[in-house]
Amino acid sequence: MSDIVYVKGPGDADISSVAYDSRMVSEGCLFVAIKGFNVDGHDFVPQAISRGAAAIIGEQDLDLPGIIYIRVRNSRKALAEASAWFYGYPSRKLGIIGVTGTNGKTTTTYLVKAMLDRAGYKTGVIGTIGNLIGDKILHAERTTPESLELNRLFLNMVQQGVNYVAMEVSSHSLKLHRVDGIDFQVGIFTNLTQDHLDFHKTFEDYYESKKKLFDLSRKAVVNVDDESGRKILQSIDIPAISYGIDTDADLRARNVNISLEGVFYDIEVKGEKFSISYHVPGRFSVYNSLAALGAGLALGIPMDTLIDALGKVRGVPGRFEPVIVGQDFAVIVDYAHTPDGLENVLKTIKSFARGRIITVFGCGGDRDRKKRPIMGSIASRLSDYCIITSDNPRSEEPEAIIDEIEKGVVSSNYEKIADRREAIAKAIEMAKKDDVILIAGKGHEDYQILKDRTIHFDDREVAAELLVKKGKLR
């Protein structure tokens, strides 16, 4: 184990499990004490010992008679190493494709999965919507699991015959060492725009965290239309495939045609020209599909297989997902929860909307507050009407979040309705033929996190139910 300061206590112990939560400790456990943001695991070392821990890892100077104590410089790094060791280094038995960036991670992983499936491999996905083993869905607590759960999941995938895993790699997971020790076959960079500054504090720290993926990757696929992508490409020393629309790149989309039916463009690979179709509209769909094509080429999958797989994909849950129950206007649910994401979706809708654009959106509580007025400005500029509502307020008051969003609004084309269901109902009530309602921020989520509880709430279900209830059908 790296960064060991010293080891005290008996020389050997039979380790039966690994835990970083003292409540999960059982006889023979290796307990890793981590100083968290709210609690310090070192305070729970006595509890871990009373429950039968055989060894302790921590960062503090502790005297634990009769117990093996390993003092390290960084407990989170030690947890990643101990987890990989305990589960037999399962990531080494998988081909892992990591996707990092502010937007597009989820969609890109699903496109990579579709291509690998088409090539005949058994695949897994780890990310925001959930974890997949083949077509079996497992619940996900966070975008990238803690290193202990991640290695346990990798072992499960190995045991079930998975060949490749496409996983979202969040900036949190990179900064907090959750993915340390993983050998990524391919690392993909999508883009970098404002988000998570509540955690990172500065954009530079956000960028540096994302860049760490490429220290762990054998090959890179990088969006060079993005300024941070160009910086990454200049700083890495591994084989790389660049992609873009506006910048010269290894995979450059040309003759781009974006319509309500999807995106269509040409690319050139090794002197041969190919026509690409992906049936999800939007400029962001061009980028997502280019990223996935780059990963497929980096893995050596034939181009015709990649194109065939891409042409059969009909979207990802909660990403530009239409709600259709027979109404004469469009309702689209999208996960857009960053300024860039919201702007991209609204510009896509603007390119085909024949009627008004009505946007329902909010911002999450206990998250980056700086983006709230920016999103208010974007929504009010690119929509004909906005309804500012609650997202996942968490410990904050919904009305206070809404007031911060309102500070960025640049016109009078909006109203505030804190209750999200009522906000969606108002949008549906005012919609006319050919209008487009965008319900943004929560996408695939089927819950809403309030101050004192979490309730079931799915934008897609609520919209469909209200459309039928209000008789908004042809």
Side-chain angles (χ1 to χ4, degrees):
M1 185 175 293
S2 63
D3 294 333
I4 292 177
V5 179
Y6 62 69
V7 180
K8 288 182 180 179
D12 295 307
D14 291 327
I15 301 300
S16 60
S17 62
V18 178
Y20 57 92
D21 182 337
S22 61
R23 295 168 295 184
M24 300 294 106
V25 172
S26 57
E27 196 70 32
C29 180
L30 168 62
F31 176 66
V32 184
I34 293 173
K35 186 173 182 179
F37 298 105
N38 300 311
V39 296
D40 188 344
H42 296 83
D43 296 338
F44 296 89
V45 168
Q47 183 179 334
I49 293 172
S50 71
R51 295 179 67 93
I56 307 289
I57 292 175
E59 297 176 7
Q60 296 179 4
D61 191 15
L62 300 177
D63 187 19
L64 305 173
I67 296 287
I68 297 174
Y69 180 60
I70 306 168
R71 185 180 176 188
V72 296
R73 291 186 175 86
N74 189 307
S75 290
R76 292 184 184 276
K77 290 179 69 174
L79 177 64
E81 293 178 25
S83 302
W85 162 78
F86 181 75
Y87 288 110
Y89 301 98
S91 69
R92 297 177 183 176
K93 302 163 190 172
L94 298 163
I96 301 178
I97 300 94
V99 186
T100 200
T102 306
N103 299 309
K105 295 188 296 295
T106 301
T107 299
T108 302
T109 59
Y110 274 73
L111 295 181
V112 170
K113 171 181 164 51
M115 292 171 179
L116 289 165
D117 287 345
R118 181 67 184 84
Y121 298 105
K122 184 169 183 178
T123 57
V125 172
I126 298 174
T128 309
I129 293 178
N131 302 322
L132 294 178
I133 297 179
D135 294 323
K136 181 183 177 184
I137 302 175
L138 308 175
H139 178 66
E141 290 291 339
R142 47 169 69 105
T143 299
T144 310
E146 185 54 81
S147 57
L148 180 63
E149 287 77 18
L150 185 58
N151 278 278
R152 186 185 301 139
L153 181 57
F154 284 151
L155 178 61
N156 189 0
M157 290 179 168
V158 170
Q159 291 170 340
Q160 296 198 41
V162 168
N163 308 114
Y164 283 99
V165 180
M167 67 177 288
E168 298 180 48
V169 185
S170 67
S171 58
H172 291 67
S173 72
L174 287 157
K175 188 175 177 68
L176 298 176
H177 304 286
R178 291 180 197 154
V179 295
D180 278 20
I182 296 175
D183 180 14
F184 290 92
Q185 295 274 86
V186 181
I188 301 173
F189 175 82
T190 60
N191 50 62
L192 203 66
T193 61
Q194 182 173 335
D195 199 17
H196 301 306
L197 295 190
D198 54 312
F199 175 75
H200 291 285
K201 307 307 179 188
T202 67
F203 192 81
E204 184 63 23
D205 184 71
Y206 186 32
Y207 164 79
E208 290 294 336
S209 297
K210 293 288 190 186
K211 194 178 76 169
K212 286 181 181 178
L213 174 62
F214 301 95
D215 296 332
L216 305 171
S217 301
R218 296 186 189 182
K219 296 180 180 179
V221 177
V222 181
N223 175 9
V224 290
D225 277 356
D226 185 278
E227 182 181 355
S228 296
R230 294 192 291 273
K231 282 175 61 179
I232 285 173
L233 197 63
Q234 291 168 2
S235 69
I236 60 177
D237 189 26
I238 55 175
I241 295 174
S242 60
Y243 69 92
I245 302 172
D246 303 321
T247 309
D248 191 32
D250 299 315
L251 292 180
R252 184 173 183 181
R254 300 180 185 275
N255 306 317
V256 176
N257 179 14
I258 301 173
S259 71
L260 185 56
E261 285 70 43
V263 295
F264 309 89
Y265 59 91
D266 298 323
I267 59 171
E268 191 173 296
V269 179
K270 295 179 180 178
E272 189 174 357
K273 186 176 176 181
F274 299 92
S275 295
I276 308 298
S277 60
Y278 171 41
H279 297 284
V280 176
R283 186 178 171 90
F284 54 85
S285 291
V286 179
Y287 286 114
N288 293 339
S289 56
L290 283 170
L293 287 167
L297 289 172
L299 293 170
I301 300 173
M303 195 66 189
D304 58 349
T305 302
L306 302 177
I307 294 171
D308 181 60
L310 188 60
K312 289 181 167 64
V313 175
R314 290 297 183 271
V316 174
R319 273 62 178 174
F320 214 83
E321 184 175 354
V323 178
I324 304 170
V325 294
Q327 76 276 15
D328 58 3
F329 53 87
V331 177
I332 295 168
V333 171
D334 193 88
Y335 190 53
H337 60 284
T338 66
D340 184 63
L342 185 62
E343 183 170 7
N344 286 338
V345 171
L346 282 169
K347 283 183 175 179
T348 295
I349 293 173
K350 213 168 184 63
S351 70
F352 65 75
R354 290 183 292 174
R356 298 172 302 165
I357 300 173
I358 303 166
T359 300
V360 180
F361 80 107
C363 289
D366 303 333
R367 297 293 185 268
D368 182 7
R369 294 175 60 179
K370 294 178 182 177
K371 70 181 181 183
R372 294 172 184 174
I374 299 172
M375 292 179 68
S377 172
I378 290 167
S380 60
R381 280 190 293 104
L382 297 177
S383 308
D384 295 289
Y385 197 77
C386 294
I387 302 172
I388 308 172
T389 188
S390 183
D391 191 288
N392 291 316
R394 299 182 177 88
S395 71
E396 292 190 65
E397 292 296 336
E399 292 80 3
I401 299 172
I402 290 169
D403 288 345
E404 291 191 359
I405 296 170
E406 186 183 20
K407 290 175 183 175
V409 171
V410 295
S411 64
S412 60
N413 61 338
Y414 75 99
E415 64 181 287
K416 302 184 292 183
I417 303 177
D419 185 285
R420 193 172 181 91
R421 184 184 180 87
E422 288 182 19
I424 295 171
K426 177 60 185 290
I428 289 171
E429 187 177 301
M430 67 183 294
K432 296 182 172 64
K433 186 176 185 295
D434 294 332
D435 286 348
V436 181
I437 296 173
L438 170 65
I439 306 172
K442 288 174 59 58
H444 65 281
E445 294 178 353
D446 60 1
Y447 57 85
Q448 189 174 29
I449 306 172
L450 308 177
K451 183 177 292 185
D452 57 346
R453 67 196 191 281
T454 297
I455 63 172
H456 178 79
F457 196 100
D458 187 319
D459 285 345
R460 299 161 297 184
E461 289 178 9
V462 171
E465 177 191 328
L466 290 169
L467 284 165
V468 173
K469 183 178 179 180
K470 294 181 178 294
K472 288 283 189 172
L473 311 179
R474 292 190 186 93

